[in-house]
Amino acid sequence: MNDNNIIKTEYSELMQKSYIDYAMSVIVARALPDVRDGLKPVQRRTLYDMHELGIRFDKPYRKSARIVGDTMGKYHPHGDSSIYDALVVMTQDFKKGLPLIDGHGNFGNIEGDGAAAMRYTEARLNKITQEAFLADLDKDVVDFIPNFDETEKEPSVLPAKIPNLLINGSEGIAVGMATSIPPHNLAEIIDAMKAYMKDESITTRELMKIVQGPDFPTGGIVTNKDELLEIYETGAGKIKIRGKVETEKGKGGKTNVVITEIPYTMIGANIGKFLSDVAALYESKKTQDIVDISNQSSKEGIRIVIELRKDANVQNFINLLYKKTRLEDTFGVNMLAICDGRPETMGLKRILKECVDFRYEVAGRKYKNLLEKEMARKEIQEGLIKACNVIDLIIEILRGSKDRNMAKDCLINGNTDGITFKSKESKIMASQLMFSENQANAILDMRLYKLIGLEIQALIKEHEETMANIYRYEDILARRDSMAQVIMNELDEIKKEFKRERRTVIDNCEEAVVEEVKVEEMELIFLMDRFGYARTIDLATYERNKETADQENKFVIHCKNTGRICVFTDIGQLHTIKVSDIPFGKFRDKGIPIDNISNYSSAKEKIVEIASQTDLNLYRMIFVTKSSMIKVVDGGEFDVSKKTVASTKLADHDEIVSISVMREQTHIVLRSKDGYFLRFPIEEIPEKKKAAIGVRGMKLSANDFVEEVYYTKNSVESNIVYKQKNISLNQIKLGKRDTKGTKIRV
């Protein structure tokens, strides 16, 4: 290989360039809409393909699979699912304020059910799409570019007559950036566009008097009206939206809270999550007012009914829904779009400016094209009228010519050579003819019936109309005011036919305030059996069944209903559970797996100790690990609000064997796997922070480890059974910490 052919390149520079190329391709060619027509490439290509296939709004529906396949084969070679997904969204009136495609079949619903497969559904263009996006494509109003394999031509942008970017909004995620533009009301945006055309110095504040704010297809209430001005000036911010709630009288004097409109962000699976969240409010005892909840939504609209108790505080419950569920949510605004080939975040006025400039450009190209056609028509008409005035001479030239070219040469240049005339005067007159080439062709192609008197009159009238059109087109092209009036007239026609009432209410609402129901503090007993099922019972029930409860349950803990339960595991984790989250019931109730109400996972760890937060605040804790590391920790260090924290620091491959609350214990007894027992006073265990590893409790031989931990009290006999032998812990020789201990043989 010739070394001269090797191009040496810095690897980092090559990777950087390649990644930038990829990122820009995603940004410009796939993920972000163009500010001029508000469409992403896949949407634009789908609409253009339907236009080319003739699937107009007044024609029969065609299979979606046909549209998707044709679009993918000609313009968008990125997979059928991306095309069909874009087509589906453009049919959904709950996502788009102005659906661009008329779908026939199952195209999904507001509750998140997906569309049927493309082989089952059909589609065609909507009327507004045909009239406001595709109408002038045959008039050279936009540039056409080669498709991916240069076998077809596609428009670089559709000649949209309305600011679709604002009317339908857009959402998309590119590389390192994302766009999120809310939909708006068609009539308001058209009025704002006209206002900008009349006064280009108009401020965003003045435009906001016309454009109240977003108009979501799902309705709802925007609650931060005063913040909208800054959002529309900068093109970024957060819009707070609420669902619409009504109250109805229910059965037996109860009150029904009925949700008739939802936040735009709740579309899809989030409706199901909302229902789950409402149910969770009752299960977690955030409210006891709920009697029943049902989703009665249909094609007519959203209707979620929550039945409340007779004595319920309805307004407080509604505020609780706003505070604790997605019935009040935030829509993040980032009005990012492609402008002049690059992504840019734009405010309301800037987007309107770009759309107006684009309309002037399109209108200029349109009327220039129309003027050229009318001028060509004028030339032909004038030639035919002139020919009708000397029709006898023309007929004489045609009869005397040997072929078409001879006759044509005579009509254009007055060349009479080779043509036979009836008289010398005719030849002189023929030599004076000076038709243009187009006029000559039109005369030669003219049919005899055109010589009928009425036809000649119609030709003259048509010429007058052509002259009027030429005058009008020249005026539009010469005067910006005339062109502006034409554009505004088009906008007025679109507004008149396609406007609809605003659905979203724009207001300043006070933040939802929930009056917390004061819970009367009471003492409960936490029970957890050996299978990990937990529950709480009241103290009186426990006292009646104390013996059975102590025998059947692995953990029996006194706690308060306002407190927390702390679960310590062998891997050094502390999981806290609100007592209010633990099911309260009868003594024989099964309870709930502790995994379900905490971050504890029985598959990864096992419980070493459970204590109430109250006890931890009063006492200290003794930690003993498998490798014999030992320490005392103040229980107050575990008074945490997080659901999971580290309870201690462990060495590699070590684990906790025992955690005990220090009450009246005086001595600790460590037993190793090899049968060594070490008893020493608890005072010898130093107090450490929870983040410390601790000190060594007993010396261990290789492969030996601490297997069990016992405690003794002064004057209290403590006995255990070790390998079927009764052992009195109080009789074990008293030693010191960090010694080997005594081996007990059995």
Side-chain angles (χ1 to χ4, degrees), residues 74-137:
K74 289 182 178 178
Y75 310 114
H76 196 77
H78 299 293
D80 57 350
S81 60
S82 63
I83 301 170
Y84 187 53
D85 289 346
L87 186 151
V88 167
V89 170
M90 287 191 284
T91 68
Q92 295 175 331
D93 57 3
F94 54 85
K95 281 191 178 177
K96 297 293 183 184
L98 191 69
L100 302 180
I101 294 177
D102 179 12
H104 181 66
N106 176 15
F107 278 91
N109 58 36
I110 196 170
E111 295 186 37
D113 296 325
M118 68 180 81
R119 61 182 177 274
Y120 298 120
T121 59
E122 298 177 332
R124 65 184 177 189
L125 292 170
N126 262 333
K127 187 177 182 181
I128 189 168
T129 314
Q130 196 65 49
E131 294 184 358
F133 288 80
L134 300 160
D136 296 327
L137 277 175

Side-chain angles (χ1 to χ4, degrees), residues 521-527 535-537 539 556-566 577-580 582 611-615:
E521 188 174 84
M522 61 183 291
E523 189 169 350
L524 300 176
I525 304 297
F526 168 85
L527 304 175
R535 64 198 186 281
T536 57
I537 58 174
L539 186 60
V556 179
I557 310 294
H558 289 255
C559 59
K560 297 286 178 62
N561 60 336
T562 55
R564 293 172 181 266
I565 291 294
C566 298
I577 309 168
K578 288 183 179 179
V579 175
S580 59
I582 304 169
S612 72
Q613 191 80 63
T614 305
D615 284 349

